[in-house]
Amino acid sequence: MLLAIPFPEISPNVFSIEIGGFAFALRWYALSYIAAILAGWWIARRLMRAPELWPGNSAPMTKDQVDDLITWVIVGIIAGGRLGFVLFYQPAYYLSNPLEIPMVWQGGMSFHGGFLGVCLAVIFTARKYDIPLLQIADTAAIATPIGILFGRTANFINAELWGRPTDVPWGVIFPGARAQFCPGFEGPCARHPSQLYEGALEGILLGLILWWLATRGGGLKRPGVVTGVFFAGYGAARFFVEFFRQADPQYITSDNPWGHVIRLGEAGLTMGQLLSLPMLITGLAVIFWARRRA
């Protein structure tokens, strides 16, 4: 623990103002959503300005259609992310407190739920404008990793979703009584900065792979390949990071310290791994199908 890194003094608010007794604060978490949506919108528009990347050298969407897609993606992220958290992680609590379900400002969003919301937005837009579904899906896949990077960075700034106890020299001592309590350690303990692991793997690395595949590897010429790589890449990265990430408290007991929802002796699968496996399998299947179809 002597080599642990103290958590940096970062306010969860970008800024706060008070006017006439009314206080307003812009939080890093909210800013990450705004930045992610704007970055995704810019990436999608840039891809549409490069028709040579697409089948038949023709971009699948106009600028106005991209704007409409982003509008529905925003709805999918917020509604899907919140409902996913409610259903996947704390269904009993919200069944007893249903009025708290729409209170997204209190925290609690699920990537897998938001991902399903985005999928519905993509399907809706494809049907509305009669655009090939896989080409819109490929666009969304390329635009998503940068949003994941912003989101996981905000998780780190908020000192939430931290990792398991560790003695690696880059371990971080996160604030808060629950974060600093680790069975078997005396005093504050260091934890894996698993938020940054996810940002690096699911955001930077996966984003670079998808961008290269789209702009240099001819991936967009074979509709579905980019989408499959995103599914498989995110599923594999999240499954791996779950070995270092602290499980949600509702899954942790004295005889189940790692929060496995499926137990195999001392090992098992966490909820994050259980939700990521279908993404990995689906991604590999989509890649195989898209390549054969092409």
Side-chain angles (χ1 to χ4, degrees):
M1 295 305 165
L2 294 178
L3 297 177
I5 302 173
F7 186 77
E9 294 290 337
I10 305 176
S11 170
N13 297 329
V14 182
F15 67 84
S16 59
I17 57 175
E18 184 173 345
I19 302 176
F22 177 77
F24 171 79
L26 177 62
R27 299 178 65 86
W28 286 105
Y29 197 69
L31 183 62
S32 73
Y33 272 79
I34 296 171
I37 291 167
L38 290 176
W41 171 77
W42 180 84
I43 289 172
R45 278 203 164 197
R46 179 169 178 178
L47 291 173
M48 296 309 126
R49 292 198 301 268
E52 68 278 3
L53 299 177
W54 300 92
N57 295 325
S58 177
M61 289 188 288
T62 65
K63 293 187 296 182
D64 290 341
Q65 289 169 345
V66 170
D67 295 345
D68 194 35
L69 170 64
I70 294 300
T71 300
W72 287 107
V73 163
I74 294 171
V75 176
I77 290 173
I78 297 175
R82 184 59 171 175
L83 291 176
F85 180 80
V86 170
L87 296 175
F88 297 151
Y89 291 95
Q90 295 189 15
Y93 174 82
Y94 286 103
L95 184 63
S96 302
N97 303 274
L99 295 179
E100 294 187 23
I101 292 177
M103 298 180 182
V104 294
W105 56 88
Q106 293 184 353
M109 298 285 281
S110 163
F111 170 82
H112 295 90
F115 171 75
L116 291 176
V118 171
C119 288
L120 292 177
V122 167
I123 293 171
F124 174 79
T125 304
R127 291 186 174 181
K128 180 180 180 180
Y129 293 109
D130 194 24
I131 301 171
L133 175 61
L134 289 178
Q135 293 186 35
I136 300 185
D138 287 344
T139 303
I142 298 169
T144 298
I146 192 170
I148 297 175
L149 173 61
F150 290 149
R152 294 313 180 193
T153 302
N155 290 147
F156 179 81
I157 293 174
N158 286 348
E160 60 189 4
L161 305 183
W162 20 256
R164 300 180 182 184
T166 182
D167 56 2
V168 297
W170 59 87
V172 177
I173 301 176
F174 289 96
R178 193 169 69 87
Q180 295 187 10
F181 173 75
C182 303
F185 291 95
E186 293 185 3
C189 68
R191 294 179 175 273
H192 285 286
S194 56
Q195 316 96 320
L196 302 183
Y197 298 172
E198 289 194 67
L201 293 177
E202 303 159 9
I204 298 175
L205 180 59
L206 182 57
L208 291 175
I209 291 173
L210 293 176
W211 186 256
W212 178 90
L213 183 61
T215 60
R216 297 289 186 270
L220 294 177
K221 294 285 189 181
R222 293 170 289 180
V225 169
V226 171
T227 299
V229 171
F230 171 78
F231 277 30
Y234 179 87
R238 178 63 182 270
F239 191 94
F240 172 74
V241 173
E242 283 288 319
F243 288 112
F244 307 95
R245 178 173 167 171
Q246 183 77 12
D248 290 88
Q250 64 267 28
Y251 298 118
I252 299 175
T253 62
S254 58
D255 65 335
N256 185 20
W258 304 123
H260 295 140
V261 295
I262 295 180
R263 303 183 62 179
L264 304 170
E266 295 298 323
L269 296 177
T270 66
M271 178 58 76
Q273 289 174 324
L274 190 62
L275 295 174
S276 296
L277 272 179
M279 290 190 68
L280 174 59
I281 296 170
T282 300
L284 294 175
V286 170
I287 293 171
F288 177 77
W289 174 82
R291 288 178 62 86
R292 289 198 62 182
R293 181 172 178 267

